[in-house]
Structure formats: structure tokens, C-alpha cells
Amino acid sequence: MLLYALALLFLLLAGVGVLRDRRRFGNAVCLGLAVTLLALALLATLHRADSAAAETVLIVVVLAPALGSLVLAGLLIANGLKMVRKEGRSLANLLALLCGLGILAVFALLLAATRADSEVLVVIARTVFLLACYLSFLFACFVGYAYLYGRLTPREDVDYVVVLGTGLLDGSRVPPLLASRLDRGRRLYERQVARGRSPLMVVSGGKGSDEQLPESHAMADHLVEHGFPADRIIREDRSRTTEENLRFSHAIMAAADPDYRCVVVTNNFHAFRAAVFARREGVNGHVVGSPTAAYYWPSATIREFVAVLVTYRWANLAVGALLVIESLNF
């Protein structure tokens, strides 16, 4: 009963967190803990059941994560190879491939530790396994909650539609990824106009070292070329990162109206991390995502997860240190 009670407690904490501000990463962790504890409670109930069917279900449930991890590794490797063929050999494009190989490496290390007569190898394997479980838990929380967050489309009236920039093609042209954001932003703008509102479109993005003009200028030109009214566009052209996109856009909107409301547009894989940063920067609005090519999603999602880990690096380093100490003292 204790596990069920704890699962209910964390579910209530997640619910309260969502009601207060659904942009908090803590909501994802609480929801993940609730699901994990509920799963453990159900496993304990099955373990106590004296029947062949219960034992069969228990064996399947225990083996499923291992088999699922191997299947996931294969899919990530295949996706990573496709990503390299389509997008090139940058570190960001290699993330899915590297994660797939990393999962296989953990399995290989665990297998070697069971067969080798080495206490040092056993300790290393145990430590790596604990850290891998922790990262896997956080990743599952991130992906699951990001999916839920993406389904909660804001419906309130807004004063601004903010579109976050990304790199330009050949230093001057809007790529398909950014065009998708602009299209979603335009649809949100038109929806507001249809409701009698008159919002402004804030296009946010500065000039990179390899770009001929600021991203926001290319974004504004793209919108105007497709019939968007030029007098409804505000260009934020100083930012270099997502945090700066949100910080500088917030400054523009707050200077005009401290009580403004907005909606921020980015790609779907980026929406939840942008929402976390929007909360930290004091932006009064939620984030929505635009569609992304399926092959691009795994590496992009892993990159977003790494960025969130870095954002909460001190908490993650503390937990990681505790896991290492626990492994050494086991």
C-alpha cells in the first residue's frame, strides 16, 4: 500500500504543478515518479499472487525493458545513419547514432562483468548501470511530459505571437525547419484576428557568424513575401540562443505592455525546453510546436534533453554523485 500511496502523492504533486505552471520540468519528474511507483506497486502485487498467469506476466514485464532497450538501440543507430546521410556529419546529427551505440556498450559492459572474475569491473558496470537508469528515467520523463505539453494548445487571447529563429540556408534564406515555425505562427495570428484581436508578430533571431543578415530579418522578409502585413511585424535581431530569443522578446513586449500575453512558436521537438526557458525568463505565455520531419526528431530530441540536463546541471551532478557513492558502498 505504501507504493500506491507514494504514487498517488507524486501524481497529486504533478497535478498541482501543472495547475500552477505547466512549464516546470519538476512536473515531468513528479509524473515520472508516479508512473514508476505505480508500476512497482503493480509488480509487487503480481509477485504476491500465487498463479502461473501472474508469474508469466511478471517475467514479461521484467524482460520488456531489456528487450525494448535493445530494439531502441537498433532504431537509434538506423536513424543516426539516415540523419548523417541527409544532414551531414555534425555532432548534433550524430547524437542518435551515439546513443544507440552507448546503449549497446552498457549491455556489453554488464555482460562482461557477469563473466569476468574482476571486482573492479563489477563496480564499474554497477555504477554505469545506475547512472544509465537515472538518465533513462529523466529522458522518459522529458519525452512523455513534452508530448503531453504539446497537446495542451493555449486557447486564450494573446497580444503577441513570437516565432523563434534558427539558422539560415546559405546565410540568407529561410530553411524548411524555420518556414514551418513561421507557418504555424501565421496560423495562430490569423486565428487571433478571426476572434477580433490585433496581435503583433515578433520574429526573434540575431545574426550568426556565418550569416549575411539577422535571422529575424530573413523571417520578416519571408512573411511579407507570403502576404503577411509588414506593419504587424516586430524584429528582435540581437539574440544568439533560445534563452536570448526569449529574454529579448520579453523585454520588447514588457516595455510596450507589462501585462502582455503571448504565444511562442518553435518546432515540436523544441517546444518543452523553450517553455522551461520561457518560465525562467519571465515570459508570460506558453510555447507551441510546428511539425518536424520524422527522421530529424530523434537526434533533435536528444539534443534538447542534453540542454535540459545542463540547465539543471548541479542537481543532476548531485544525484549522479550520490549514485556513484551508493554503487561503491554496495
Side-chain angles (χ1 to χ4, degrees), residues 129-148:
F129 178 71
L130 287 175
L131 293 174
C133 287
Y134 174 66
L135 291 175
S136 298
F137 168 75
L138 288 183
F139 184 71
C141 291
F142 176 79
V143 173
Y145 191 79
Y147 175 81
L148 293 176

Side-chain angles (χ1 to χ4, degrees), residues 23 27 30 36 46 48-49 60 77-78 80-81 87 98 103 112 135 150 153 162 184 191 194 224 271 300 320 327:
R23 300 174 297 177
N27 299 338
C30 286
T36 301
L46 283 173
R48 289 194 297 270
V60 171
I77 291 171
L81 294 174
E87 302 290 337
L98 293 175
I103 292 172
L135 291 175
T153 303
V162 183
R184 181 69 191 276
R191 186 182 304 168
V224 172
S327 177

Side-chain angles (χ1 to χ4, degrees), residues 12-92:
L12 290 174
L13 289 175
V16 171
V18 169
L19 292 175
R20 291 180 60 188
D21 192 334
R22 61 177 182 256
R23 300 174 297 177
R24 299 167 59 94
F25 185 66
N27 299 338
V29 175
C30 286
L31 185 59
L33 287 171
V35 172
T36 301
L37 289 168
L38 178 60
L40 291 174
L42 292 173
L43 287 176
T45 301
L46 283 173
H47 182 67
R48 289 194 297 270
D50 187 17
S51 69
E55 291 182 4
T56 301
V57 172
L58 188 61
I59 292 172
V60 171
V61 171
V62 170
L63 291 178
L67 295 176
S69 297
L70 289 173
V71 172
L72 177 62
L75 293 175
L76 287 173
I77 291 171
N79 176 261
L81 294 174
K82 184 175 182 178
M83 187 74 175
V84 170
R85 288 198 304 269
K86 286 182 172 289
E87 302 290 337
R89 296 183 182 180
S90 68
L91 177 59

Side-chain angles (χ1 to χ4, degrees), residues 26-253:
N27 299 338
V29 175
C30 286
L31 185 59
L33 287 171
V35 172
T36 301
L37 289 168
L38 178 60
L40 291 174
L42 292 173
L43 287 176
T45 301
L46 283 173
H47 182 67
R48 289 194 297 270
D50 187 17
S51 69
E55 291 182 4
T56 301
V57 172
L58 188 61
I59 292 172
V60 171
V61 171
V62 170
L63 291 178
L67 295 176
S69 297
L70 289 173
V71 172
L72 177 62
L75 293 175
L76 287 173
I77 291 171
N79 176 261
L81 294 174
K82 184 175 182 178
M83 187 74 175
V84 170
R85 288 198 304 269
K86 286 182 172 289
E87 302 290 337
R89 296 183 182 180
S90 68
L91 177 59
N93 295 337
L94 289 170
L95 285 176
L97 176 63
L98 293 175
C99 283
L101 294 174
I103 292 172
L104 295 181
V106 171
F107 273 96
L109 179 61
L110 293 174
L111 183 61
T114 60
R115 296 190 173 185
D117 186 16
S118 171
E119 183 61 28
V120 173
L121 185 59
V122 169
V123 171
I124 293 173
R126 185 166 59 230
T127 303
V128 170
F129 178 71
L130 287 175
L131 293 174
C133 287
Y134 174 66
L135 291 175
S136 298
F137 168 75
L138 288 183
F139 184 71
C141 291
F142 176 79
V143 173
Y145 191 79
Y147 175 81
L148 293 176
Y149 182 84
R151 306 280 75 74
L152 302 173
T153 303
R155 299 185 182 278
E156 64 269 16
D157 293 337
V158 298
D159 306 297
Y160 297 91
V161 177
V162 183
V163 182
L164 305 186
T166 186
L168 301 177
L169 278 177
D170 303 322
S172 62
R173 295 186 293 116
V174 169
L177 198 71
L178 184 51
S180 175
R181 299 183 186 185
L182 291 168
D183 290 344
R184 181 69 191 276
R186 178 170 182 160
R187 290 196 299 273
L188 290 170
Y189 171 87
E190 292 172 346
R191 186 182 304 168
Q192 291 290 315
V193 171
R195 295 166 62 173
R197 303 285 298 177
S198 183
L200 291 167
M201 178 83 79
V202 179
V203 288
S204 177
K207 181 178 180 294
S209 59
D210 60 343
E211 294 174 336
Q212 301 171 22
L213 73 166
E215 293 165 7
S216 59
H217 293 201
M219 295 161 71
D221 293 343
H222 178 89
L223 286 169
V224 172
E225 288 171 4
H226 288 78
F228 194 89
D231 62 337
R232 306 308 297 167
I233 299 175
I234 297 176
R235 306 182 187 197
E236 183 288 295
D237 57 8
R238 296 186 297 145
S239 56
R240 300 291 185 89
T241 64
T242 298
E243 294 95 323
E244 290 184 352
N245 284 146
L246 295 163
R247 184 180 308 139
F248 297 154
S249 296
H250 167 63
I252 290 172
M253 295 183 289

